Amino acid sequence: MDWECGGRDKATCERLIQRLARWRTRLYCTDAYAAYTVLLPLGQHYTGKDETHGIERDNARQRHWLARFRRRSIVVSKSKRMVDVSLALFARFAGNSRISDLLSMLT
């Protein structure tokens, strides 16, 4: 799991793709947004819902566990660092079905 904070534009997509290069990503599953079609390698880009259900499940879990992603007017921090730290904690614990590890650390 990885993320990039920014707008839904070409520059944000390029930063994410550059960072993903170290993982030797073989398949990118996205929606049909035009920037993805232009930037992602031909033959490695899949557009469709049948392969993105895992991503949608993670997005739903993020909104459930992290209040900052629910309602913008109440709990969203303006700090990019806080968003990055929140997502890193989510990836480490909830994203790996290890939320119990986090809970045991807090008690």
Side-chain angles (χ1 to χ4, degrees), residues 2-59:
D2 208 340
W3 62 91
E4 179 65 36
C5 292
R8 193 171 168 161
D9 57 14
K10 183 178 176 181
T12 303
C13 186
E14 285 174 338
R15 287 192 309 265
L16 179 60
I17 292 169
Q18 184 178 21
R19 199 171 56 248
L20 290 174
R22 69 178 175 186
W23 297 100
R24 297 186 190 122
T25 306
R26 293 182 295 182
L27 180 65
Y28 299 88
C29 299
T30 69
D31 59 11
Y33 188 59
Y36 304 145
T37 306
V38 173
L39 296 171
L40 294 173
L42 190 62
Q44 292 182 315
H45 182 212
Y46 178 81
T47 304
K49 287 291 185 183
D50 55 331
E51 295 293 332
T52 60
H53 64 276
I55 296 166
E56 298 300 332
R57 183 178 55 243
D58 278 343
N59 290 342

Side-chain angles (χ1 to χ4, degrees), residues 32-85:
Y33 188 59
Y36 304 145
T37 306
V38 173
L39 296 171
L40 294 173
L42 190 62
Q44 292 182 315
H45 182 212
Y46 178 81
T47 304
K49 287 291 185 183
D50 55 331
E51 295 293 332
T52 60
H53 64 276
I55 296 166
E56 298 300 332
R57 183 178 55 243
D58 278 343
N59 290 342
R61 284 194 289 173
Q62 287 172 17
R63 284 188 298 276
H64 173 75
W65 287 103
L66 303 171
R68 75 177 58 257
F69 298 119
R70 287 187 206 145
R71 267 184 80 187
R72 299 191 78 131
S73 61
I74 297 175
V75 293
V76 172
S77 170
K78 301 291 184 199
S79 166
K80 181 183 179 304
R81 176 157 168 70
M82 287 304 295
V83 171
D84 283 339
V85 168

